[in-house]
């Protein structure tokens, strides 16, 4: 989640070897180096008081309306990764204890680093292709497993018409009567997550 963005104010290119040489060169020349770090984590500093969020493991499952967490932009599905400079395990008891201890040590203020994830419950419309989410069953970050099912909406006489359309008009007339639904599941625990809206199998 953290990476070196600059050495002595100079942006570093990708590659551990180049970054290492830049640091070593600066240390050899002057005996000191200024390293700037960057992170994709969301940093939130909370003042003293209730944070207004509920955890399961290290995952935020809900936030209190108007609470500090919600006002800071914390959403269900976010994962707590660090409390201050301490990396935390997937245990809500440990995380809460660390937050309370740091609030006592730092005049009530505590900084929490979150990793942003999409919460399955927050998806109002599932796509027809695989998507990365946090499984609400096993709480693991996964790329969903998808399964497509195709149904014909015709009545039995209509199905005969479909066959006639296939024979006389072609595939397009038939496929517009077939509906495709994509079901998403977790590849880790194999539990159901959601499903897409029905679409015509030709994409129209």
């Amino acid at each position: 989640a953290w990476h070196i963005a600059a050495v002595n104010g100079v942006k570093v290119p990708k590659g551990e070897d180049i970054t290492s040489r830049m640091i070593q060169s600066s240390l050899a020349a002057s005996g000191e180096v200024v390293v700037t770090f960057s992170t994709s984590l969301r940093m939130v500093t909370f003042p003293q008081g209730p944070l207004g969020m509920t955890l399961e493991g290290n995952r935020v499952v809900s936030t209190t309306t108007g609470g500090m967490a919600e006002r800071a932009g914390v959403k269900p599905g976010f994962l707590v990764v660090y409390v201050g400079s301490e990396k935390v395990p997937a245990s809500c008891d440990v995380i809460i204890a660390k937050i309370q201890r740091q609030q006592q040590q730092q005049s009530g203020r505590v900084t929490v680093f979150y990793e942003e994830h999409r919460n399955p419950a927050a998806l109002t419309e599932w796509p027809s292709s695989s998507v990365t989410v946090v499984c609400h069953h096993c709480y693991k970050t996964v790329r969903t497993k998808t399964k497509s099912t195709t149904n014909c909406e015709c009545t039995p006489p209509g199905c005969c018409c479909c066959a006639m359309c296939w024979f006389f008009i072609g595939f397009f007339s038939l496929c517009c009567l077939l509906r495709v639904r994509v079901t998403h599941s977790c590849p880790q625990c194999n539990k159901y997550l959601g499903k897409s809206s029905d679409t015509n199998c030709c994409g129209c």
Side-chain angles (χ1 to χ4, degrees), residues 152-164 174:
C152 179
E153 294 184 339
C154 302
T155 59
C159 288
C160 295
C161 293
C162 284
M164 293 176 64
L174 175 61

Side-chain angles (χ1 to χ4, degrees), residues 43-83:
M43 183 182 75
V44 178
T45 300
F46 294 102
Q48 191 169 12
L51 304 184
M53 64 180 181
T54 303
L55 300 174
E56 285 185 8
N58 67 329
R59 176 174 168 265
V60 178
V61 293
S62 65
T63 56
T64 303
T65 302
M68 288 195 293
E70 184 188 65
R71 295 200 305 270
V74 177
K75 301 181 184 300
F78 281 19
L79 299 180
V80 178
V81 184
Y82 291 88
V83 174

Side-chain angles (χ1 to χ4, degrees), residues 70-110:
E70 184 188 65
R71 295 200 305 270
V74 177
K75 301 181 184 300
F78 281 19
L79 299 180
V80 178
V81 184
Y82 291 88
V83 174
S85 60
E86 299 181 50
K87 189 168 185 178
V88 295
S91 169
C92 60
D93 292 335
V94 173
I95 292 171
I96 291 171
K98 286 183 180 294
I99 289 174
Q100 291 175 342
R101 185 171 66 251
Q102 291 206 17
Q103 283 182 322
Q104 293 172 357
Q105 295 172 348
Q106 301 179 27
S107 302
R109 300 183 69 82
V110 60

Side-chain angles (χ1 to χ4, degrees), residues 77-196:
F78 281 19
L79 299 180
V80 178
V81 184
Y82 291 88
V83 174
S85 60
E86 299 181 50
K87 189 168 185 178
V88 295
S91 169
C92 60
D93 292 335
V94 173
I95 292 171
I96 291 171
K98 286 183 180 294
I99 289 174
Q100 291 175 342
R101 185 171 66 251
Q102 291 206 17
Q103 283 182 322
Q104 293 172 357
Q105 295 172 348
Q106 301 179 27
S107 302
R109 300 183 69 82
V110 60
T111 301
V112 181
F113 291 88
Y114 296 89
E115 190 172 302
E116 298 184 30
H117 288 275
R118 299 178 73 178
N119 179 10
L123 290 177
T124 56
E125 186 172 335
W126 285 83
S128 57
S129 57
S130 180
V131 64
T132 300
V133 296
V134 177
C135 174
H136 58 283
H137 299 289
C138 64
Y139 306 114
K140 293 183 178 178
T141 303
V142 297
R143 188 80 180 171
T144 58
K145 182 170 60 177
T146 58
K147 181 180 179 181
S148 300
T149 55
T150 305
N151 296 303
C152 179
E153 294 184 339
C154 302
T155 59
C159 288
C160 295
C161 293
C162 284
M164 293 176 64
C165 287
W166 169 267
F167 184 79
F168 291 107
I169 301 175
F171 173 72
F172 181 77
S173 297
L174 175 61
C175 73
C176 284
L177 298 174
L178 297 179
R179 307 290 288 177
V180 177
R181 176 177 295 174
V182 178
T183 301
H184 294 260
S185 61
C186 173
Q188 295 291 329
C189 65
N190 294 315
K191 296 289 185 66
Y192 169 83
L193 295 176
K195 62 186 178 182
S196 68

